[in-house]
């Protein structure tokens, strides 16, 4: 078997992914076929199957890539989450990375989105939420048990809904303004330092 050059492999994957995203922007996932993706990318089905086991596999790999980028951005630059400015900086980092991938994220969290991706995104965003909940608690301690779980879901749901609207807006508010809106809405005790 002849090994393909890495550049060819990468170019083929990118074309398949572009074709997939183009189709996903126009129709629900369950209506997208391997044949559609391959033809739009300029390949045949056999070429598609050299890289993916099916449409869902392609989507899963793309979701994993997007989540990994968020993890990497946070891990590379995350700082202590205890201070007010730390929360602001980390929220800005998260939203910057999200805005870079806005066309994809908007589809995945939009009306025809993927619940699995939303759950993965929630896992990435959870470390941002815990200090917010603790900061809004009167004795500044993290609520535990069911109370902590429900509050985390409440905050994550609200933030994801705001993010969905922000990404879908053809004229979105600037990043700094969005960060301040989230802080003002979800962290009334946080002030500029």
């Amino acid at each position: 078997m002849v090994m393909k050059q890495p550049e060819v492999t990468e170019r083929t994957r990118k074309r398949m992914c572009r074709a997939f995203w183009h189709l996903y922007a126009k129709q629900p996932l369950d209506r997208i076929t391997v044949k559609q993706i391959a033809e739009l990318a300029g390949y045949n089905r056999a070429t598609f199957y050299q890289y993916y086991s099916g449409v869902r596999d392609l989507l899963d790999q793309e979701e994993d890539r997007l989540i990994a980028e968020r993890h990497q951005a946070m891990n590379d630059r995350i700082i202590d989450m205890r201070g007010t400015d730390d929360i602001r900086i980390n929220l800005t980092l998260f939203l910057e990375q999200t805005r870079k991938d806005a066309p994809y994220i908007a589809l995945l969290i939009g009306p025809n989105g993927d619940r699995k991706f939303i759950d993965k995104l929630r896992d990435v965003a959870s470390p941002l939420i815990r200090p917010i909940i603790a900061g809004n608690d009167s004795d500044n301690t993290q609520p535990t048990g069911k109370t902590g779980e429900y509050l985390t879901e409440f905050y994550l749901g609200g933030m994801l809904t705001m993010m969905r609207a922000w990404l879908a807006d053809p004229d979105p508010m600037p990043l700094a303004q969005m960060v301040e809106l989230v802080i003002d809405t979800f962290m009334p005790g946080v002030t500029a330092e």
Side-chain angles (χ1 to χ4, degrees), residues 85-154:
D85 276 344
D86 302 337
I87 292 169
R88 183 174 275 104
I89 290 167
N90 290 318
L91 180 58
T92 300
L93 290 172
F94 183 82
L95 290 175
E96 277 177 349
Q97 186 63 44
T98 298
R99 187 170 59 183
K100 286 178 187 176
D101 295 319
Y104 313 120
I105 302 294
L107 284 171
L108 291 167
I109 66 174
N112 292 322
D114 182 34
R115 182 68 197 172
K116 284 175 54 177
F117 181 76
I118 292 170
D119 290 342
K120 292 175 189 178
L121 194 56
R122 284 173 179 255
D123 290 343
V124 174
S126 287
L128 291 171
I129 299 301
R130 288 186 199 101
I132 294 168
I133 294 171
N136 286 337
D137 193 27
S138 60
D139 62 2
N140 207 27
T141 60
Q142 177 67 36
T144 59
K146 291 292 180 194
T147 301
E149 288 176 34
Y150 293 161
L151 283 173
T152 299
E153 285 301 310
F154 171 77

Side-chain angles (χ1 to χ4, degrees), residues 57-72:
D57 181 40
L58 187 154
L59 177 60
D60 286 343
Q61 288 186 40
E62 282 292 280
E63 288 180 355
D64 290 346
R65 176 186 63 81
L66 292 165
I67 292 298
E69 288 172 358
R70 263 134 212 81
H71 274 298
Q72 191 65 44

